[in-house]
Amino acid sequence: MTQFDALLGTDFDGRLTNDPEDVIYDGLDNPAHRERVPGLVELMDDAAAPERERFLACVALTTWGEEAGYRAVIEAAAAPGKAPWYDILIDRKFSVDNTFAQLAVAVADSDDIAPEKGTADRRTAAFRALVGIADREYFDDKLGEILDRDTVTAALGDIRDVVERGVALLSVEKPARFDLATQLVDLAAAVATVDGAQAVELATTVLSAAAHHRPLVHALTIVHRVQGPEGEQFGEYVMAVGDEDVREQAKRALEARRN
């Protein structure tokens, strides 16, 4: 049995499994996962180990709220293309790296266990590091949706900065390799949970550079979340610049606000 098989190919009852994800999520409710942490740290940091195994070790450690997992996420975000597992997962639609999307989910899934382990601050730092590369790396529509209110509050400055950089990229001849506008709108929608006016400002900035169908549809989340005149006015804006389908969806969103 290899080190990987012992750590993530065997469940906590000692049975072999072909799905490391089951082991990872079972570990959230099983304190026995702590016994596997040292081995997973060793595997994750082993330059000679297969990239897939190192990546899954990082996902496990991060999901389990371990400092080593957050450290690896932060280091990967500091130099994305140099992460040992970069490009081992490829998004089918855009043919770009999909590992950061999975790491973001792992950080999100550690929301309950991180406080128990005293690593909540490191969890926030990992999320902020991921937000900081959202103008360059693909998150498969996940990042904006999984940011909790406390993290959004801590990362407001990071979100504003990345939206500003992203909008600049949308204006160049060779924009991002993926749907950057929608990814930025999703971050603005996350801000709507804590600051409606700022969310509308950020989303409007993005849409002024890329008022395409998909980001406009995602922007309707802000119409639903932002109370008061800002949300109403933003809904009217989306209706004015959108195509027929967007206008119909915006109309329904505005009607839902008024009922």
Side-chain angles (χ1 to χ4, degrees), residues 144-155:
E145 282 302 310
I146 60 181
L147 293 173
D148 56 85
R149 287 175 56 89
D150 288 344
T151 301
V152 170
T153 300

Side-chain angles (χ1 to χ4, degrees), residues 26-44:
D26 287 347
L28 285 171
D29 299 316
N30 193 325
H33 78 266
R34 294 173 182 262
E35 299 171 7
R36 304 190 184 189
V37 167
L40 286 167
V41 174
E42 179 182 356
L43 176 61
M44 181 181 70

Side-chain angles (χ1 to χ4, degrees), residues 41-230:
V41 174
E42 179 182 356
L43 176 61
M44 181 181 70
D45 292 338
D46 182 0
E51 289 86 352
R52 173 181 175 274
E53 295 182 4
R54 297 181 70 185
F55 175 70
L56 288 171
C58 180
V59 170
L61 291 165
T62 304
T63 303
W64 295 344
E66 292 291 328
E67 193 282 334
Y70 298 138
R71 179 256 299 167
V73 171
I74 292 169
E75 289 178 354
K82 295 181 180 179
W85 44 71
Y86 195 76
D87 275 349
I88 67 161
L89 298 178
I90 300 295
D91 176 76
R92 293 181 179 180
K93 183 175 183 179
F94 295 107
S95 298
V96 295
D97 172 81
N98 198 34
T99 60
F100 281 105
Q102 306 311 312
L103 291 177
V105 171
V107 177
D109 287 339
S110 67
D111 56 340
D112 289 332
I113 201 169
E116 296 175 11
K117 293 188 173 182
T119 56
D121 288 346
R122 296 300 288 162
R123 177 179 181 270
T124 299
F127 256 144
R128 292 184 65 183
L130 294 174
V131 167
I133 60 171
D135 58 324
R136 294 174 284 150
E137 299 298 330
Y138 177 63
F139 285 92
D140 194 17
D141 292 349
K142 292 181 169 63
L143 187 58
E145 282 302 310
I146 60 181
L147 293 173
D148 56 85
R149 287 175 56 89
D150 288 344
T151 301
V152 170
T153 300
L156 275 176
D158 305 285
I159 293 173
R160 288 193 66 90
D161 288 346
V162 81
V163 168
E164 181 178 340
R165 293 196 304 271
V167 169
L169 287 173
L170 291 172
S171 303
V172 302
E173 293 183 2
K174 294 183 179 180
R177 301 161 294 155
F178 54 89
D179 187 355
L180 175 59
T182 297
Q183 186 155 287
L184 297 175
V185 166
D186 286 344
L187 285 174
V191 172
T193 63
V194 299
D195 189 331
Q198 189 166 181
V200 168
E201 177 191 348
L202 291 171
T204 303
T205 300
V206 176
L207 295 174
S208 66
H212 308 311
H213 178 85
R214 193 162 181 265
L216 283 166
V217 170
H218 281 235
L220 293 175
T221 299
I222 298 172
V223 179
H224 289 290
R225 288 180 178 173
V226 177
Q227 303 301 311
E230 292 92 353

